[in-house]
């Protein structure tokens, strides 16, 4: 059964995820940095480093949210970055951020469905996604779409939460994710569902070797899994 943010609502997961992110968009960046003690910034930087050698010129950032991963990718000096998301609220916050930083000519944000990408086959040198594939309604379909729009030999870099296995990080992580994070999330964002959905969606996500297997089934080669910060998050890479 699919994990959804609002269990008492009949809408599908995609609609609920969009509603949830619209609800918390104004507080999302602050909560990200606050609840991770700023480690999320390091994770993004580390993930983008995997593209330094190939220096992609065209890059698509899936589930771009407020654009932090796309902004980090500017270090690669690509010709064009497009970020897509299903949440109009998150994109509006992202657009304001780009204006403040004078980056509107470098990054284009679009409303779009990651599982039905409005781009031609073989369009991008690289595709990135930070904390977004976990929210796909159909994970395999979303990854197939990413594969389709990548150019031959194009690179995929995914940053996603994962589940630590080693004692005592596993136990501490579970307490924080299930009990502490929802309380602060609700206090600040006023949407408790968003931060109870987060640990539930992480728990349901096929992380580590299981996710690598899905990437291989979709067609990706040279797949790698790189756990970060005792396995709290992971970077996954692959080549078309």
């Amino acid at each position: 059964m699919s994990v959804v943010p609002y269990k008492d609502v009949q809408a599908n997961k995609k609609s609920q995820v969009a509603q949830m992110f619209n609800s918390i968009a104004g507080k999302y960046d602050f909560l990200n940095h606050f609840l991770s003690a700023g480690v999320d910034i390091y994770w993004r930087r580390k993930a983008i480093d995997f593209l330094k050698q190939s220096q992609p010129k065209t890059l698509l950032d899936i589930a771009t949210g407020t654009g932090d991963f796309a902004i980090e990718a500017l270090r690669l000096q690509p010709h064009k970055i497009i970020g897509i998301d299903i949440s109009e609220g998150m994109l509006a916050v992202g657009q304001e951020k780009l204006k403040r930083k004078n980056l509107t000519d470098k990054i284009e944000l679009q409303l779009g469905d990651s599982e039905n990408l409005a781009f031609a086959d073989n369009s991008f040198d690289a595709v990135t996604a930070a904390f977004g594939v976990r929210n796909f309604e159909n994970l395999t379909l979303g990854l197939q779409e990413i594969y389709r729009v990548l150019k031959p030999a194009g690179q995929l870099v995914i940053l996603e939460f994962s589940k630590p296995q080693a004692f005592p990080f596993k136990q501490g992580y579970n307490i924080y994710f299930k009990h502490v994070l929802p309380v602060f999330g609700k206090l600040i964002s006023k949407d408790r569902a968003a931060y109870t959905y987060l640990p539930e969606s992480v728990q349901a996500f096929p992380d580590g070797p299981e996710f690598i297997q899905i990437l291989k089934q979709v067609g990706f080669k040279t797949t790698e899994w790189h756990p970060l910060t005792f396995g709290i998050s992971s970077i996954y890479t692959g080549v078309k």
Side-chain angles (χ1 to χ4, degrees):
M1 183 178 173
S2 179
V3 174
V4 294
Y6 307 105
K7 296 174 179 61
D8 55 346
V9 175
Q10 293 302 310
N12 63 18
K13 179 174 180 176
K14 197 173 295 181
S15 300
Q16 291 199 32
V17 167
Q19 178 188 339
M20 177 189 75
F21 281 114
N22 285 339
S23 166
I24 66 173
K27 303 288 187 182
Y28 180 80
D29 284 343
F30 170 76
L31 278 165
N32 249 5
H33 305 326
F34 174 71
L35 293 171
S36 73
V39 182
D40 63 304
I41 298 168
Y42 160 75
W43 289 340
R44 287 188 187 86
R45 189 172 302 132
K46 191 81 174 168
I48 291 300
D49 282 347
F50 281 91
L51 292 172
K52 278 166 70 173
Q53 191 171 350
S54 61
Q55 291 290 299
K57 297 306 175 192
T58 53
L59 191 147
L60 175 65
D61 187 39
I62 297 281
T64 196
T66 63
D68 277 352
F69 209 31
I71 291 169
E72 186 64 39
L74 287 173
R75 288 196 291 115
L76 304 168
Q77 298 184 305
H79 296 156
K80 182 72 174 176
I81 297 178
I82 297 176
I84 69 156
D85 203 281
I86 59 172
S87 167
E88 293 182 24
M90 295 284 276
L91 291 172
V93 172
Q95 201 63 51
E96 287 303 313
K97 189 188 297 183
L98 295 182
K99 285 178 186 173
R100 286 197 310 271
K101 295 176 178 284
N102 294 316
L103 297 175
T104 52
D105 60 329
K106 298 183 184 304
I107 298 172
E108 179 185 343
L109 300 183
Q110 299 179 5
L111 189 66
D113 181 357
S114 302
E115 296 164 55
N116 186 22
L117 295 172
F119 305 105
D121 297 359
N122 311 316
S123 292
F124 297 95
D125 296 317
V127 175
T128 59
F131 311 116
V133 298
R134 189 184 75 258
N135 299 318
F136 286 179
E137 188 162 37
N138 185 323
L139 178 59
T140 300
L141 180 60
L143 294 173
Q144 286 171 340
E145 276 291 273
I146 290 172
Y147 187 87
R148 179 182 67 78
V149 302
L150 266 174
K151 293 178 182 178
Q155 282 187 273
L156 169 68
V157 175
I158 289 173
L159 174 62
E160 190 53 87
F161 286 115
S162 48
K163 301 180 279 288
Q165 299 302 319
F167 177 86
F169 303 106
K170 177 179 179 179
Q171 288 72 15
Y173 167 91
N174 287 337
I175 291 169
Y176 177 74
F177 244 48
K178 292 176 182 176
H179 303 291
V180 179
L181 185 144
V183 172
F184 280 105
K186 182 187 178 184
L187 278 173
I188 298 167
S189 74
K190 310 303 180 189
D191 188 336
R192 180 175 176 82
Y195 290 90
T196 52
Y197 165 75
L198 175 57
E200 289 172 358
S201 63
V202 172
Q203 198 61 39
F205 184 70
D207 63 338
E210 194 176 346
F211 186 61
I212 288 291
Q213 192 56 40
I214 297 171
L215 289 177
K216 288 179 178 177
Q217 288 168 359
V218 167
F220 286 99
K221 299 175 175 62
T222 325
T223 52
E224 295 181 356
W225 167 41
H226 304 270
L228 298 171
T229 317
F230 310 108
I232 293 173
S233 72
S234 293
I235 297 168
Y236 302 94
T237 61
V239 177
K240 179 172 178 178

